[in-house]
Amino acid sequence: MKFIHTADLHLDSPLRGLSSYPDAPAERLRTATRDAFERLVTVAIEEKVDFMVIAGDVYDGDWKDFNTGLFFVRQMGRLRQAGIPVYLLYGNHDADSEMTKGLELPDNVHAFASRKAETFRIEPLKVALHGRSFKVAATTENLLPGYPMPVAGWLNIGVLHTALEGLTEHAKYAPCTVPELQARGYQYWALGHVHEQRIERGDTTIAYPGNLQGRHIRETGPRGALLVSAEEGEITEIERIEVDVLRWHALAVDVSTCVDLRSAVRLAGQAMEDLLTSSPGGLPMAVRVNFTGQSAAHAALASDEGQLRQEMIAQAVALDPDRIWIEKVRVATTAPATQASGLEGEAQDALNALQELAASAHADPEFLQSLQDDWQSMLEKLPHDVLQASQELAELRQADPTLIADRVRQATPVLMARVAGASTAA
């Protein structure tokens, strides 16, 4: 017996970070979450799975386009025609969605109630699925105490949309702990809400499949679902199914050996080529390029990130314009310690003090707020067309103080280098 465990489809959720760029593949970005789910349904049919479990967040919140819901109904219909039942639990995003309340699903879809936990039994397979949907998005109480006891002699699957204790980066919906899950006595917990794959094997298998399609740079790498095999009431195998149609990568480029902008750009181009070579054939990629290391090229890299991004786009276009797009370029390099040599006395002391201030800014909330206020005041004085033309300036208008502090930290060595150069020329 085998089944597919998936969660966090977030159908029609926008892919953030590329859609505003003129060189981005708009149609592919718009349909990525649908395409990933359609691929998963195809896999389910080809593998002839016995059933599918969806552990929450089919939709993406209060999205009012009913075409999204109709697409989901159509995919459920494909599974119905193949004789595959679906056990569906609604998560926090579904609780906000009009589609959850307004669309009738095919009769092969069994949705868990939200009033209390309930059990669906598959008699021929001796499988019992226990779950409870969210009634409201802000479900912050522990739902586990209401889950029923396991059915003796059967494979018991718990379905829950939850933020396990310790996963601080996720909103605390239906929080619980691993020992609490284990104590329930089920053989498998099909979880949702956390977008990274996590599997803990043992007498009780606890699994997050992750989301089907990465939507931004914080969701890098392969995305998909889990194909779970079981025999005589025990989990025997778990296989990752990759169905994403566009993949996000954070590409670190160490430019410690580079002496100028040209050599740094060439090195980044080589890193992108290596990424293309090692990635699955034909799969498009959205890449954030992060320049790192202590480098003589720091001043040139940090002085104009807008120009640097255009250089990276040119590298990507030359390699494969249909497969690789630049999401963003970040400069996290530092200047060599000798870059500002030649200064003496008060000038050197002033620059040293500025460098120390920039390095310690993150630990001083009052200074950060003052810096942000000054920065915002300057941005407000710029013409609207200037702000529209510069993505970096537009980002800074909504930036938190730590990002502004990063800009100051990066700019300080550039200033030191220029002051040193002016001093030498004089």
Side-chain angles (χ1 to χ4, degrees):
M1 187 268 291
K2 56 186 176 181
F3 64 92
I4 282 178
H5 168 202
T6 186
D8 300 288
L9 314 183
H10 292 281
L11 293 175
D12 286 345
S13 174
L15 271 60
R16 298 190 296 274
L18 280 175
S19 58
S20 62
Y21 295 162
D23 54 313
E27 182 63 20
R28 192 174 296 182
L29 296 178
R30 188 181 67 81
T31 63
T33 52
R34 289 192 185 194
D35 295 342
F37 186 55
E38 190 168 4
R39 290 183 67 185
L40 181 65
V41 170
T42 298
V43 171
I45 295 170
E46 292 175 346
E47 290 284 342
K48 299 179 180 179
V49 299
D50 293 281
F51 57 92
M52 178 183 287
V53 178
I54 304 178
D57 284 358
V58 171
Y59 304 115
D60 196 51
D62 189 17
W63 186 253
K64 301 186 185 304
D65 184 353
F66 273 81
N67 286 320
T68 306
L70 292 174
F71 167 80
F72 182 66
V73 171
R74 187 159 56 250
Q75 298 308 312
M76 294 299 97
R78 291 179 63 202
L79 293 174
R80 183 181 185 274
Q81 292 172 5
I84 299 173
V86 178
Y87 297 90
L88 170 62
L89 182 143
Y90 291 122
N92 57 292
H93 281 275
D94 301 315
D96 276 343
S97 175
E98 291 296 321
M99 265 80 75
T100 304
K101 307 166 189 172
L103 287 177
E104 189 71 25
L105 296 172
D107 58 11
N108 65 316
V109 181
H110 309 279
F112 291 99
S114 60
R115 187 172 61 85
K116 66 176 183 177
E118 65 175 323
T119 299
F120 292 113
R121 297 183 180 222
I122 310 176
E123 296 281 347
L125 300 176
K126 292 189 175 181
V127 171
L129 297 103
H130 317 279
R132 179 181 173 183
S133 292
F134 281 28
K135 185 175 183 179
V136 296
T139 300
T140 55
E141 72 270 21
N142 188 342
L143 301 180
L144 267 186
Y147 274 60
M149 296 298 293
V151 178
W154 286 33
L155 175 68
N156 290 268
I157 300 173
V159 188
L160 181 62
H161 199 75
T162 178
L164 282 177
E165 187 175 278
L167 302 179
T168 56
E169 68 274 22
H170 295 276
K172 297 302 181 186
Y173 294 121
C176 61
T177 66
V178 168
E180 285 177 316
L181 294 176
Q182 294 168 333
R184 188 56 50 175
Y186 302 164
Q187 287 88 351
Y188 187 90
W189 275 101
L191 304 182
H193 183 55
V194 174
H195 288 189
E196 299 297 327
Q197 178 192 325
R198 302 169 65 95
I199 301 173
E200 184 172 322
R201 297 298 300 267
D203 293 337
T204 298
T205 297
I206 300 170
Y208 284 104
N211 57 348
L212 289 185
Q213 172 61 57
R215 299 171 301 154
H216 45 70
I217 194 60
R218 295 188 302 279
E219 296 177 349
T220 59
R223 300 279 152 172
L226 300 175
L227 178 61
V228 185
S229 300
E231 188 174 350
E232 297 182 356
E234 298 295 332
I235 303 299
T236 56
E237 186 179 358
I238 302 177
E239 178 186 348
R240 178 69 185 266
I241 306 168
E242 295 177 7
V243 297
D244 50 343
V245 296
L246 183 146
R247 198 161 290 175
W248 299 78
H249 290 274
L251 184 65
V253 182
D254 186 345
V255 292
S256 300
T257 60
C258 297
V259 296
D260 54 24
L261 179 64
R262 185 179 297 276
S263 58
V265 168
R266 282 200 299 264
L267 189 61
Q270 182 60 56
M272 283 192 280
E273 185 173 10
D274 293 343
L275 182 61
L276 280 171
T277 302
S278 62
S279 298
L283 189 67
M285 292 176 290
V287 179
R288 175 174 292 188
V289 181
N290 295 299
F291 287 94
T292 66
Q294 188 177 66
S295 172
H298 170 78
L301 291 168
S303 61
D304 190 345
E305 287 191 24
Q307 174 62 30
L308 185 59
R309 180 174 181 275
Q310 296 305 316
E311 295 280 4
M312 291 299 95
I313 290 175
Q315 292 288 319
V317 168
L319 289 169
D320 192 337
D322 294 324
R323 281 196 61 202
I324 187 166
W325 299 281
I326 302 302
E327 180 262 355
K328 194 166 290 185
V329 177
R330 290 290 187 223
V331 177
T333 54
T334 58
T338 59
Q339 191 161 327
S341 60
L343 293 178
E344 297 180 356
E346 293 182 0
Q348 184 63 61
D349 291 342
L351 287 176
N352 289 341
L354 177 60
Q355 192 166 34
E356 290 175 7
L357 184 62
S360 62
H362 291 280
D364 189 340
E366 185 176 341
F367 173 72
L368 283 178
Q369 188 58 55
S370 173
L371 185 62
Q372 185 182 39
D373 292 343
D374 292 342
W375 196 283
Q376 295 297 337
S377 177
M378 287 188 289
L379 290 174
E380 291 300 326
K381 296 176 183 178
L382 291 175
H384 180 71
D385 57 341
V386 173
L387 291 171
Q388 290 294 104
S390 172
Q391 181 187 348
E392 288 77 13
L393 288 177
E395 285 178 353
L396 283 173
R397 293 191 72 181
Q398 286 83 37
D400 60 52
T402 57
L403 178 58
I404 296 173
D406 280 338
R407 297 294 195 199
V408 173
R409 179 183 57 78
Q410 294 169 8
T412 301
V414 179
L415 174 62
M416 295 177 73
R418 290 181 177 177
V419 171
S423 175
T424 302

